[in-house]
Amino acid sequence: MVAPLLPAAPRPWYGGGRRTVLDRNCFAAIVYMARTSTSWRLLPAQELGCGSSATAWRRLNEWAKAGVFEQLHLEVLDRLGLAGRLDWSRASVDSASVRAKRGGHVGANPVDRGKPGSKINLACEGSGLPLTAVVTGPTSPT
């Protein structure tokens, strides 16, 4: 399911050869990180076959910039929808205001004395599966 979504490996700037670490191994390391919430320096990279935590992080960054995870999320939702596994009888929408230290969708946060902030908006189907997540400025409607 994931392999067709991955972009082609870029040519190294120094003119080197092919990648030696498989995308599958790096994806396994990224899933491990997401499931365990461990720090990158504690990633068991050799056991997962991804070389090093830096390699897994570079692939995560590369794939995130290419939109792989958004495409994967849509693919999973499509497959669940075709199988009748989404609960459309009800939905939930929520948002949370957060501090924004590094820019992005920033505005004067009304809940934090006008300091820079953002709002994370989430929509879920009946069983709690996230359908979409959007980051906006703090004063935009949910």
Side-chain angles (χ1 to χ4, degrees):
M1 180 187 312
V2 178
L5 304 176
L6 298 178
R11 290 279 299 163
W13 61 270
Y14 53 85
R18 296 179 297 128
R19 291 180 166 172
T20 57
V21 177
L22 298 175
D23 287 340
R24 181 182 186 93
N25 295 354
C26 286
F27 189 77
I30 292 167
V31 169
Y32 177 86
M33 295 295 297
R35 299 262 327 199
T36 62
S37 299
T38 188
S39 67
W40 283 103
R41 64 184 174 83
L42 296 177
L43 176 70
Q46 296 299 319
E47 290 83 357
L48 293 169
C50 69
S52 69
S53 59
T55 300
W57 186 89
R58 278 192 301 270
R59 299 277 176 94
L60 170 66
N61 191 33
E62 175 187 324
W63 295 341
K65 287 179 181 177
V68 169
F69 299 105
E70 289 84 0
Q71 293 173 21
L72 179 60
H73 186 235
L74 293 176
E75 180 69 25
V76 169
L77 288 177
D78 285 344
R79 289 185 183 204
L80 289 173
L82 290 173
R85 303 282 310 266
L86 294 177
D87 179 8
W88 293 109
S89 64
R90 58 193 170 152
S92 170
V93 177
D94 199 5
S95 65
S97 294
V98 295
R99 290 179 60 193
K101 296 181 180 181
R102 298 186 199 167
H105 295 284
V106 178
N109 193 340
V111 298
D112 195 11
R113 298 182 312 244
K115 293 180 182 173
S118 298
K119 188 188 287 186
I120 301 172
N121 306 284
L122 181 68
C124 298
E125 53 90 54
S127 65
L129 182 71
L131 299 173
T132 187
V134 179
V135 178
T136 62
T139 57
S140 62
T142 301

